[in-house]
Amino acid sequence: SATGIFSPAGNKYTTDVEGNKLGEFHGDYFTYGAGISEVELDVLTGEIRPLRSDILYDVGQSINPGIDLGQLEGAFVFGIGYYLYEEPLRDNRGTERSQGVWAYKPPMAPEVPIEFHVELLRDNPFPKGVLGSKAIGEPPFMLAYSVLGAAKKAIASVRREHGLSEHFQMPMPCTVDAIQKACGVDASHFKC
């Protein structure tokens, strides 16, 4: 499972273009959500397959549930890419050299959980929001950590089976080669 906290208090968006304060609660509130995921790990290749993810997210009183669900799903999948697949390549000066999607791998359809259940918290209007709503967009991104957390638990289980420490370091993003290396498994473990 995953949790995240963002507190926008004191940000520059609490004023209008002329610097006038927009009100005490303009943008100063929390959004809440919960996510849990189940993954399948191929210990020989390091590939992770999200099998199932369940998400509950609080948007207050949804103005348009169809759009809100799409934003929630999109941010979650974007987060999966960030945590597991997208590895921007940089040279010694820090300049990005990924050359688009030829070397930079955003999440594709196989990276989306096979069972993907997304729900908006019902009957929870936010009295200080526009028509009782709360923001949705990037905040659900953090709930994708549930996929990485499940992957880390799977890696720890494999390591335990092979007599290795369950504690290990993982780079970000946790690409297939890093995951395979963290598993501590090679073909010699499978001799007949």
Side-chain angles (χ1 to χ4, degrees):
S1 64
T3 59
I5 297 174
F6 170 69
S7 178
N11 69 43
K12 67 181 180 179
Y13 301 107
T14 59
T15 61
D16 64 18
V17 293
E18 295 171 355
N20 301 316
K21 193 165 175 69
L22 291 172
E24 183 180 352
F25 298 104
H26 180 76
D28 288 346
Y29 61 87
F30 292 100
T31 60
Y32 300 94
I36 187 166
S37 295
E38 178 183 348
V39 300
E40 181 177 72
L41 166 63
D42 184 330
V43 298
L44 291 179
T45 65
E47 290 183 82
I48 294 288
R49 179 70 173 116
L51 299 177
R52 179 182 175 137
S53 292
D54 294 275
I55 302 168
L56 177 64
Y57 194 78
D58 175 17
V59 293
Q61 181 65 43
S62 178
I63 295 172
N64 187 325
I67 290 175
D68 289 343
L69 288 170
Q71 286 289 103
L72 178 51
E73 292 168 347
F76 187 83
V77 173
F78 175 57
I80 291 173
Y82 175 79
Y83 290 124
L84 293 174
Y85 301 104
E86 300 176 26
E87 185 176 21
L89 305 174
R90 300 186 186 280
D91 64 18
N92 293 339
R93 295 187 318 249
T95 304
E96 187 168 347
R97 299 293 183 193
S98 299
Q99 299 180 3
V101 295
W102 292 107
Y104 177 77
K105 304 298 182 200
M108 304 296 275
E111 283 83 46
V112 176
I114 295 170
E115 288 185 55
F116 196 15
H117 304 276
V118 178
E119 188 174 340
L120 302 175
L121 186 63
R122 297 173 192 259
D123 302 321
N124 190 36
F126 181 57
K128 297 173 182 139
V130 176
L131 298 176
S133 68
K134 285 185 172 182
I136 188 163
E138 285 82 11
F141 170 97
M142 293 184 286
L143 298 176
Y145 191 86
S146 65
V147 174
L148 178 57
K152 286 180 158 185
K153 290 288 188 182
I155 294 166
S157 176
V158 170
R159 292 176 63 86
R160 185 174 50 249
E161 286 177 13
H162 289 94
L164 300 171
S165 170
E166 294 180 42
H167 304 286
F168 56 94
Q169 295 290 320
M170 289 294 294
M172 285 299 293
C174 299
T175 56
V176 292
D177 54 331
I179 291 169
Q180 194 283 326
K181 184 177 178 183
C183 287
V185 175
D186 60 40
S188 68
H189 288 103
F190 301 96
K191 288 184 180 176
C192 293

